[in-house]
Amino acid sequence: MMDFDKLFVTRDWFGKPVRRNEDVKFVKGEATYVDDIDMNCAHVAFLRSIFAHARLKKIDTSRAEALKGVLAVITGPEVAEVTKPLPARAITRPARQYVMATGKVRYQGEPIAAVVAEDRYIAEDALELIDVEYEPLQPVMRIEDALKPDAPLLFEEAGSNTLLDDTMEHGDYEKACREADMVLKETFRVHRYSSTPLENWAIIARHDKGTDSFTVWANDQQPGRSMTTVCGTLQIPTHNLRLIVPESGGGFGIKLAIWPYIVILCLLSRKVDKPIKWIQTRREHLLGGTHAPDGIVEIEMPVKKDGTFLGLSVKDYQNDGSFIHTAGIYGLIKFATMVGQYTIKATRMEVLSIATNKGPTVQNRGVGKPTMTFALERMVDIAAKKLGIDPAEIRFRNFVKPEQMPYTTPSGEIYESGDYPECLRKGLALGEYDQCKKQQAELRKQGRYIGVGISTGVEPGTSNLGYYYTSSGVPEYMGSGEGAIVGVDYDGNINVMIGSVDTGQGHATVIGQVISDMLGITPDRVRVDNTLDSFISPYIGHSGCYSNKFNDVDLGAVIKATEKVRARIFTLAAHMLKADVSNLKLGDGHVHVTNDSGKKVSFKDIAALAYKKITLLPEGMEPGLKEIAYYRNPYAKLPNKQNFNVQLTHSNSCHVVTVEVDIETGFVKFLKYVIIHDCGNQINPAIVEGMAIGSTVHGLGATFLEEFVYDDNGQLLTTTFMDYLKPVAATVPHFEMGHHYSPCPTSLLGSKSAGEGGAIGSLAAVANAVEDALSPFDVKVTSLPLTPEKVVKAIKETKVI
Amino acid sequence: MQVKVKINGKEYQDDVEPRMLLVHFIREKARLTGTHIGCDTGNCGACTVLFNGRTIKSCLMLAVQANGAEIMTIEGLSTNGLHPIQDAFLEKFGFQCGYCTSGMILSAYVLLQSNPQPTDHEIREALEGNLCMCTGYQQIVESISYAATKMKEAGK
């Protein structure tokens, strides 16, 4: 963390809920998302597999091509001929797959062919005219079925549906079991869901015949990596792709997997003389664009009678569906913070990535941590009940203490800062834990069932890429970083570009706050262009909006570039004012001479020297007043299975929830929902609050409503928002927020991740509250979602949800 | 088929296919792209517009059904500066990615016309047809409540 007295000239903006005035366009309907770009495009529609698992015997596109208004058609086999197969990041078994189905289809909705036509209506008509001959195969949907010795194989070349099976062991787990008074065992199941950004995937591609190059506009969340994956797949040099990312209507990880469609659009654009556009429909999005995997978590926890957790063993089965690019990632991320906030000394984790005929999976908000936290925090409550210790007390007994910070977990993850006991104390106070417990006893006498649930969770950020290679070899990407360009323009105002993109986090406002305090100006003088343009923007392989890296490396790059600009401003001002740099200071958009009141020069005049009156520049100084800087988090360890930090910052939160369960209907009502969040220094508290609450509602959707339901034939039954239910304003509680501030010593601003916490902690908190409410009925919660039907059935018959 | 529609006070006339959705007419013929498409099935409310003064989902109506109608989109809410509801969404951080915002603001606009001082509960009920995937709704509710107060103070 930097010395703020040296970093900042003023403290007027940092840490304040500054209005997002840069984003007035959003409230006026004037933002430009991909679909809003007017380029007289032709339109693309995809023919998608009607089967979950089938061989493709024949595709005949001749009738479609003959339709008036159809400009071109492309099929999977044609795509496969000119592209490389998908690169697999985490799996270790060989599996060959292309961006479009060829030979066989592996999920309902997998693209088989694409049509480009004068408009979308004609393109959709043409899909009806493509004749496909399928040979249906037995679909494999559930993990248990995929693991059977005679199970049909998704990828014959892999020889198994288990594409990754890796075990990581740290500390002496066997010893922990020997020393334990008991070893608790449980199996948890978490279903498939997604954060479903409101704007679906959107791409425009334009081919330039003269150079055989492409310009693509896409709402891609990770353009730095997409540049190399798209170009690698197309087998073109990266300078032949110009990728532009304009406004994006939400991401949550789900827009990290757009790149296969960019490849297809590029190939199609070669066939026509105008730009082409594909706007994903919601049905397409829900079918395969994309999901968080469903999974089974088998947990063992050796504990002492006094409640001490001695070890943790997890066997994690991940139903990764049929997208080998990101298969296996979830388990490895779960592993990173599997001990949660506890001083568990010995861990073992077996990570299995299972291929099935469900849709593709990609990093959804929290990436595995919601499932891991659900399983761990449920286990903690189960231990508390078994040992007769209060759920809050057992957590206090096992927490990493603030004096132990920075704390290194058995596998090498470093928790830089945090006060877990204090956060829980605040949570219990604000959540009126003791009063709720008292009330619970009284209400039960009246036949009302309320329950209180606690969950504490670690919210890591800034992925140290390469973690998946701790399982599979040499990393292509390591660490985390970002780039930024900061310049003073003609008028003395500040222009900024960064390599990252914004999916709704108010990056422009936050960057404006930091730069304003660094240069002694007001945010209205800072203009940030969030558009990424790979020909102009300072992007690197890590560039993008994911893993909560903005507050750390993105702002790190902005700070470093601003420091360079500031140094140049001082040099030029010293020349103009004929003063020594050490006697200068910034304020009100001017450089002042400290010991000569009234002597000053404005940024505008400095800019005039730098850009216009360049003959007057000091000897040897280059014109211009714009600087580029790249920044990486310096604490990333090298990939090493025995000692590695998968994430580079660690926020934490605690949720304390009181619910009432209607035992007749199974409906769960919130009586109180408290979130205590510690993400270190908050740069814009109102933005942080929005993300903490928003991510919590993602978790509540997953806990109660959202589920991708497949039938035995592999048909997805939830393909609209009428079946795949999302939370609405009337069904979510009012959240009471509390904060704690443990500055992060390893980020420049003392800030930590803020975008995923609620999605991580909420599932467990609610599940614990529901189980507590139903304790008179001995109901145990081991799975999600907690639908009314399941709740009622558990009360009356099964005793297990 | 010929369609004549007044959008934000301006008349648009075009020859469209009978199957063209109203939302496509608004976005592609009138080029008013503040109206968004999020679900295609009338659930998300990103395409909310005012149709003869009432909110509708413009993805559930054909352009030809709108013949002769008066429509207001987000672009028509305030031609001069910000409407108090728009200002409130900025002041209270009632948006993140902005994709649902046009629909949210128009639903709030209609609510505040019939119920100028709604309770939080009434605001939440009124947003039943608008999904926001980012905010968890709390700051949206606060924005609308704040707008109601400001509009009352201003006597609007």
Side-chain angles (χ1 to χ4, degrees):
Chain A
M1 194 173 127
M2 297 182 81
D3 177 349
F4 284 1
D5 288 337
K6 289 190 179 134
L7 177 66
F8 292 133
V9 173
T10 58
R11 289 296 299 274
D12 296 335
W13 309 102
F14 179 89
K16 308 244 165 77
V18 175
R19 238 168 94 122
R20 287 178 61 181
N21 284 332
E22 297 77 4
D23 292 328
V24 128
K25 60 196 170 194
F26 291 119
V27 301
K28 291 183 71 80
E30 291 169 352
T32 306
Y33 302 93
V34 173
D35 195 17
D36 303 335
I37 299 170
D38 184 14
M39 294 178 58
N40 187 27
C41 291
H43 291 256
V44 176
F46 282 92
L47 180 73
R48 295 176 179 280
S49 172
I50 56 171
F51 291 104
H53 201 188
R55 284 197 198 291
L56 287 172
K57 306 291 280 185
K58 200 172 149 196
I59 308 169
D60 183 351
T61 60
S62 53
R63 289 198 302 141
E65 284 169 73
L67 184 71
K68 187 168 178 283
V70 169
L71 303 175
V73 181
I74 201 165
T75 66
E78 193 184 334
V79 170
E81 266 177 38
V82 294
T83 56
K84 285 198 159 182
L86 300 185
R89 284 161 68 171
I91 59 171
T92 49
R93 280 186 187 268
R96 180 172 278 253
Q97 185 177 25
Y98 290 88
V99 294
M100 206 178 231
T102 181
K104 69 190 260 188
V105 288
R106 295 187 179 86
Y107 67 95
Q108 182 215 358
E110 185 168 5
I112 294 172
V115 172
V116 54
E118 290 294 350
D119 69 37
R120 180 68 183 249
Y121 290 79
I122 299 170
E124 298 273 353
D125 288 344
L127 298 183
E128 305 276 326
L129 302 174
I130 299 176
D131 301 301
V132 182
E133 200 180 308
Y134 298 92
E135 179 193 326
L137 299 167
Q138 178 66 37
V140 187
M141 306 309 292
R142 298 184 313 154
I143 289 167
E144 295 88 335
D145 296 333
L147 294 176
K148 284 179 184 159
D150 60 345
L153 295 178
L154 268 282
F155 299 93
E156 284 80 5
E157 62 277 20
S160 166
N161 287 322
T162 304
L163 301 182
L164 172 70
D165 183 351
D166 199 13
T167 301
M168 272 111 6
E169 197 158 347
H170 296 87
D172 192 342
Y173 183 72
E174 297 304 329
K175 181 164 165 261
C177 289
R178 282 195 304 275
E179 288 176 357
D181 291 316
M182 63 184 84
V183 179
L184 301 170
K185 294 181 186 181
E186 196 56 72
T187 299
F188 297 98
R189 286 166 187 275
V190 174
H191 59 296
R192 259 181 187 239
Y193 62 92
S194 158
S195 295
T196 60
L198 194 56
E199 180 203 30
N200 292 301
W201 294 359
I203 304 169
I204 294 172
R206 188 175 66 193
H207 179 245
D208 181 78
K209 283 198 167 41
T211 54
D212 191 23
S213 65
F214 304 96
T215 307
V216 170
W217 291 258
N219 50 6
D220 189 315
Q221 234 184 305
Q222 197 176 22
R225 182 187 283 267
S226 292
M227 282 298 294
T228 55
T229 2
V230 168
C231 294
T233 308
L234 285 169
Q235 303 177 82
I236 60 168
T238 44
H239 67 235
N240 277 1
L241 173 62
R242 182 171 191 171
L243 178 59
I244 299 169
V245 182
E247 311 295 353
S248 181
F252 319 118
I254 295 299
K255 287 176 178 167
L256 292 165
I258 295 180
W259 69 267
Y261 285 88
I262 296 178
V263 171
I264 299 168
L265 269 275
C266 283
L267 291 174
L268 261 178
S269 72
R270 264 201 187 122
K271 293 173 174 248
V272 294
D273 289 329
K274 60 200 290 197
I276 62 171
K277 180 190 272 190
W278 173 58
I279 304 299
Q280 187 187 47
T281 64
R282 181 56 62 182
R283 182 170 183 276
E284 286 181 301
H285 187 89
L286 295 175
L287 273 172
T290 53
H291 305 163
D294 49 309
I296 302 171
V297 182
E298 295 173 356
I299 284 203
E300 273 185 24
M301 190 153 88
V303 295
K304 300 283 277 182
K305 275 185 192 153
D306 67 1
T308 309
F309 310 148
L310 296 178
L312 187 67
S313 168
V314 172
K315 189 167 183 182
D316 181 64
Y317 301 84
Q318 205 70 63
N319 184 340
D320 275 320
S322 48
F323 185 53
I324 61 162
H325 181 60
T326 41
I329 282 181
Y330 273 71
L332 293 166
I333 293 184
K334 280 179 203 167
F335 152 73
T337 49
M338 67 186 287
V339 298
Q341 299 188 358
Y342 309 114
T343 53
I344 297 171
K345 293 277 191 283
T347 61
R348 175 189 286 164
M349 183 146 189
E350 184 177 357
V351 176
L352 297 103
S353 172
I354 316 292
T356 69
N357 293 110
K358 288 189 178 180
T361 59
V362 75
Q363 300 97 310
N364 182 58
R365 201 170 200 172
V367 200
K369 280 100 68 178
T371 298
M372 187 63 231
T373 306
F374 168 71
L376 177 64
E377 290 294 289
R378 281 275 47 242
M379 206 61 191
V380 168
D381 266 32
I382 289 167
K385 193 180 259 184
K386 189 96 181 166
L387 299 167
I389 304 171
D390 180 84
E393 175 58 26
I394 201 167
R395 287 177 169 86
F396 283 122
R397 289 186 195 175
N398 286 282
F399 276 147
V400 174
K401 306 288 184 295
E403 57 272 21
Q404 290 174 285
M405 296 289 178
Y407 176 81
T408 303
T409 71
S411 64
E413 196 80 5
I414 303 167
Y415 297 171
E416 318 74 17
S417 60
D419 189 339
Y420 305 152
E422 182 57 20
C423 284
L424 181 53
R425 276 192 288 275
K426 283 186 175 177
L428 297 176
L430 192 57
E432 297 171 336
Y433 183 74
D434 294 333
Q435 295 94 309
C436 287
K437 279 288 187 187
K438 264 185 215 147
Q439 202 189 3
Q440 179 182 52
E442 285 157 26
L443 287 173
R444 268 183 198 162
K445 290 177 204 154
Q446 303 168 24
R448 288 178 61 189
Y449 298 92
I450 70 166
V452 193
I454 298 168
S455 158
T456 65
V458 171
E459 177 189 1
T462 318
S463 276
N464 178 8
L465 294 182
Y467 54 89
Y468 27 88
Y469 298 98
T470 57
S471 297
S472 71
V474 183
E476 190 183 355
Y477 294 81
M478 289 189 277
S480 182
E482 192 53 271
I485 296 171
V486 176
V488 180
D489 72 9
Y490 281 7
D491 291 331
N493 295 321
I494 307 299
N495 291 334
V496 184
M497 288 191 93
I498 58 171
S500 185
V501 294
D502 188 334
T503 58
Q505 296 83 355
H507 288 174
T509 303
V510 174
I511 290 170
Q513 290 177 249
V514 172
I515 291 181
S516 293
D517 273 341
M518 283 184 72
L519 295 180
I521 54 173
T522 48
D524 59 313
R525 294 189 54 183
V526 183
R527 177 171 296 274
V528 181
D529 189 344
N530 277 320
T531 306
L532 174 118
D533 181 333
S534 65
F535 255 49
I536 301 168
S537 302
Y539 76 98
I540 63 171
H542 307 69
S543 286
C545 183
Y546 61 97
S547 90
N548 287 303
K549 68 188 242 307
F550 172 79
N551 75 85
D552 178 0
V553 292
D554 298 29
L555 287 177
V558 168
I559 288 168
K560 293 298 173 190
T562 308
E563 282 184 330
K564 285 186 184 177
V565 166
R566 187 162 69 176
R568 295 251 291 140
I569 288 171
F570 276 126
T571 307
L572 292 171
H575 177 68
M576 294 168 84
L577 294 164
K578 298 190 173 35
D580 193 82
V581 169
S582 61
N583 287 331
L584 299 179
K585 66 170 185 184
L586 288 163
D588 302 323
H590 289 77
V591 180
H592 303 259
V593 181
T594 44
N595 53 8
D596 188 351
S597 63
K599 206 170 172 193
K600 62 180 182 180
V601 60
S602 70
F603 283 13
K604 189 175 179 177
D605 289 340
I606 296 171
L609 173 63
Y611 290 112
K612 296 188 241 175
K613 302 169 192 167
I614 57 177
T615 324
L616 301 177
L617 281 167
E619 183 78 26
M621 179 173 281
E622 62 181 304
L625 196 42
K626 185 173 276 198
E627 295 290 342
I628 185 166
Y630 296 94
Y631 177 76
R632 70 182 168 102
N633 183 309
Y635 296 89
K637 296 180 186 179
L638 288 169
N640 169 0
K641 208 167 166 181
Q642 280 315 307
N643 180 1
F644 190 63
N645 51 351
V646 174
Q647 320 260 1
L648 305 175
T649 70
H650 298 79
S651 295
N652 64 280
S653 63
C654 124
H655 292 220
V656 180
V657 187
T658 306
V659 300
E660 177 167 6
V661 183
D662 183 328
I663 60 163
E664 297 299 324
T665 63
F667 194 77
V668 179
K669 189 168 112 186
F670 289 100
L671 302 181
K672 204 165 184 55
Y673 202 117
V674 164
I675 305 166
I676 309 295
H677 192 220
D678 184 353
C679 59
N681 289 335
Q682 298 183 9
I683 304 157
N684 187 319
I687 290 177
V688 168
E689 180 162 324
M691 286 196 284
I693 290 173
S695 63
T696 300
V697 170
H698 278 187
L700 298 188
T703 307
F704 290 113
L705 300 167
E706 303 176 39
E707 182 174 15
F708 292 111
V709 180
Y710 287 88
D711 71 10
D712 291 341
N713 294 319
Q715 296 291 310
L716 183 63
L717 304 176
T718 49
T719 59
T720 70
F721 283 148
M722 281 176 276
D723 331 284
Y724 186 89
L725 300 177
K726 298 296 297 188
V728 295
T731 59
V732 299
H734 176 85
F735 298 93
E736 294 171 67
M737 290 281 305
H739 297 280
H740 194 72
Y741 307 91
S742 307
C744 180
T746 59
S747 66
L748 297 184
L749 295 171
S751 56
K752 296 188 268 191
S753 28
E756 295 180 345
I760 294 169
S762 48
L763 286 66
V766 175
N768 286 346
V770 169
E771 184 175 292
D772 184 47
L774 297 179
S775 58
F777 305 96
D778 284 327
V779 169
K780 187 190 260 188
V781 177
T782 61
S783 74
L784 297 172
L786 303 173
T787 58
E789 184 191 2
K790 281 165 78 181
V791 171
V792 169
K793 206 170 170 192
I795 294 168
K796 292 195 172 147
E797 301 166 32
T798 59
K799 302 295 171 194
V800 179
I801 298 172
Chain B
M1 291 175 77
Q2 281 294 321
V3 180
K4 197 197 276 188
V5 194
K6 199 179 257 187
I7 308 177
N8 304 332
K10 187 178 163 189
E11 206 150 84
Y12 294 86
Q13 191 167 1
D14 215 317
D15 187 22
V16 303
E17 276 196 72
R19 63 179 173 173
M20 176 176 250
L21 297 173
L22 177 58
V23 68
H24 288 149
F25 185 91
I26 292 169
R27 289 181 50 81
E28 285 157 29
K29 299 291 182 189
R31 288 301 305 160
L32 293 165
T33 54
T35 304
H36 300 142
I37 303 171
C39 76
D40 318 304
T41 51
N43 298 96
C44 82
C47 67
T48 301
V49 296
L50 265 66
F51 185 87
N52 295 333
R54 298 177 59 188
T55 50
I56 60 147
K57 309 282 177 71
S58 60
C59 77
L60 291 186
M61 186 177 266
L62 298 168
V64 292
Q65 291 176 288
N67 193 32
E70 283 203 24
I71 288 170
M72 189 180 95
T73 69
I74 187 71
E75 290 92 341
L77 185 59
S78 174
T79 45
N80 184 19
L82 292 173
H83 185 277
I85 302 174
Q86 291 170 319
D87 184 68
F89 270 67
L90 283 164
E91 187 63 27
K92 295 291 174 186
F93 295 81
F95 66 95
Q96 286 178 29
C97 81
Y99 203 75
C100 74
T101 310
S102 305
M104 285 287 176
I105 288 176
L106 290 178
S107 288
Y109 174 75
V110 169
L111 167 70
L112 296 184
Q113 280 187 330
S114 61
N115 183 358
Q117 291 297 299
T119 64
D120 282 3
H121 180 72
E122 287 168 338
I123 294 172
R124 286 177 182 270
E125 291 285 331
L127 299 180
E128 190 83 29
N130 294 82
L131 294 178
C132 169
M133 307 296 183
C134 296
T135 62
Y137 302 102
Q138 191 151 312
Q139 288 169 319
I140 292 177
V141 174
E142 286 166 9
S143 300
I144 296 170
S145 187
Y146 178 82
T149 308
K150 286 284 166 190
M151 286 164 75
K152 191 184 172 195
E153 282 171 15
K156 283 191 184 173

